[in-house]
Amino acid sequence: MALHIKVSIIAKTVIRMLLIVCIGAALAGCAQKLVCSTKPTFFPPAPDEPHIQYLTGITNSKDVGEKASQSSFSLVVTGNETQEIIRKIGKSFGIVAYKGKLYVAESAGSRVVIIDPVAGTFDYPRGMSTPKGALKEPINLAFDQDGYMYVADTGRKQVVVYNPAGDYAREFSFGIESKIVSVAIYGGKLYALDLGTSRIRVLDRKTGEELSVFGYSETPNQSLRAPGNFAIDSDGAIYVSNIGNNKVMKFDIDGNFLQAVGGAGDQPGQFARPKGVAVDDAKRLYVVDAGLNVVHLFDDKSRLLTFFGWPGLETGSLSLPAGIAVTKDNLQYFQKYAVPGFQLESLIFVVNQFGQNMCIPRISVYGLGEMKK
């Protein structure tokens, strides 16, 4: 599907009002009990043609259990009794969609939550219950082509690796000044985003040997400063959210600077605090803005297409968003949440750090698509 979206005058006005709406909504939430709406929310709003719909949200195991049959819902056994225990998602950062499941780095619970929305299960890797595999503050994660999971843990100051069965496999340590906040795999290499030194460290994904380091340039506007997250597309282009200058920095796979997207401001396509980034198979770039509580969507030539999730909506707003994942897995399952005639092309999952307030879930689920005539 070719996506063509114009940023309307209405949308430009909305982006300037986001911070005001955030404060007003917070005050209103203290004064009265809000009732969550079930109205469908589209982005961009009318009269523009809709291309993104807010579909549903996930905050706890009940959210996926109620959408599956009772027999397929995971139950926790306590003693000799079997009972349904609602397991909640705490404060989280990174999210990955892998083979039909969602993997969420829950820093508050020192674990990774595995959500299978189709099967209705809500689980955790078994290796994290062992002394070697226990996590302290997981913040992001990635998978390699063999199914190994790499977790960036700022509490352990390590990247912890688990095999496809969920058992602890190995760990990679870094220097005392390093703080690895995100990881990605490309080919046989592990790319680790180091907030502590504002660098990207490239390691052999099996041995942990450091192969190269990049991200610094004598040209200031080509250097990383306080990087927060990154993603690598299928061609090896690296997109880094750079909080130091409120831009997304683009490098090739060897670390050569290519371009910068955005800049500080409240205009469409500018950022207040860029966090999570994702790139879909059409090379569209998604940038989470935790300052304005929106996600910006750019085309493959870094032109702004639209933005979505702003505060103050009846449904579909974001609250201090962090991680983002885009996938085509489970489209048929989530199609039932779309309004009749709106055909989904891909799914967008956004983590809210302040979820569960003002009818905002921990994970907001959006669908990218188009309205069929």
Side-chain angles (χ1 to χ4, degrees), residues 100-365:
K101 297 179 181 180
L102 298 174
Y103 294 77
V104 184
E106 185 190 329
S107 58
S110 302
R111 60 193 178 186
V112 171
V113 181
I114 307 173
I115 302 169
D116 188 334
V118 177
T121 58
F122 199 95
D123 299 309
Y124 315 104
R126 62 189 187 188
M128 294 179 186
S129 61
T130 64
K132 284 188 174 182
L135 297 173
K136 292 184 177 180
E137 193 173 355
I139 191 169
N140 265 303
L141 66 159
F143 285 85
D144 67 16
Q145 56 265 43
D146 298 323
Y148 281 76
M149 180 172 67
Y150 300 73
V151 182
D153 189 315
T154 56
R156 289 180 54 154
K157 294 185 177 295
Q158 294 175 326
V159 173
V160 189
V161 187
Y162 302 86
N163 66 21
D167 297 317
Y168 167 85
R170 53 187 175 271
E171 60 195 44
F172 300 143
S173 299
F174 299 83
I176 191 172
E177 295 182 353
S178 292
K179 183 178 182 180
I180 306 303
V181 294
S182 189
V183 286
I185 305 293
Y186 190 82
K189 300 176 181 178
L190 168 66
Y191 291 76
L193 184 63
D194 189 346
L195 172 61
T197 61
S198 291
R199 302 288 190 275
I200 293 179
R201 302 187 178 280
V202 186
L203 287 69
D204 182 288
R205 68 181 175 90
K206 293 186 178 180
T207 66
E209 177 188 359
E210 188 167 276
L211 305 175
S212 63
V213 179
F214 63 86
Y216 171 78
S217 172
E218 293 184 356
T219 304
N221 59 7
Q222 296 183 10
S223 283
L224 295 179
R225 286 188 292 139
N229 210 325
F230 75 148
I232 304 178
D233 70 19
S234 58
D235 294 331
I238 303 171
Y239 303 80
V240 188
S241 60
N242 204 43
I243 300 172
N245 62 4
N246 283 305
K247 294 181 179 181
V248 172
M249 313 291 281
K250 184 178 180 180
F251 300 86
D252 67 18
I253 200 63
D254 297 316
N256 299 304
F257 176 80
L258 298 177
Q259 69 173 122
V261 180
D266 60 0
Q267 299 296 309
Q270 296 178 328
F271 310 127
R273 191 172 178 82
K275 284 296 191 83
V277 291
V279 185
D280 64 18
D281 55 6
K283 302 297 189 298
R284 291 182 291 241
L285 173 64
Y286 302 74
V287 183
V288 174
D289 191 330
L292 295 175
N293 290 308
V294 298
V295 176
H296 304 258
L297 174 57
F298 299 86
D299 68 9
D300 59 343
K301 294 181 174 57
S302 302
R303 298 173 299 194
L304 181 67
L305 293 173
T306 191
F307 51 91
F308 59 93
W310 55 79
L313 302 171
E314 290 187 70
T315 183
S317 289
L318 297 169
S319 181
L320 197 61
I324 184 170
V326 182
T327 182
K328 290 184 180 295
D329 294 341
N330 301 327
L331 282 176
Q332 184 176 358
Y333 173 81
F334 282 98
Q335 184 64 52
K336 65 186 178 183
Y337 295 104
V339 302
F342 189 74
Q343 186 64 44
L344 299 181
E345 175 196 335
S346 58
L347 299 170
I348 307 162
F349 299 90
V350 185
V351 173
N352 293 294
Q353 291 182 268
F354 284 169
Q356 305 183 76
N357 297 316
M358 294 185 293
C359 305
I360 298 174
R362 282 294 185 188
I363 301 174
S364 295
V365 186

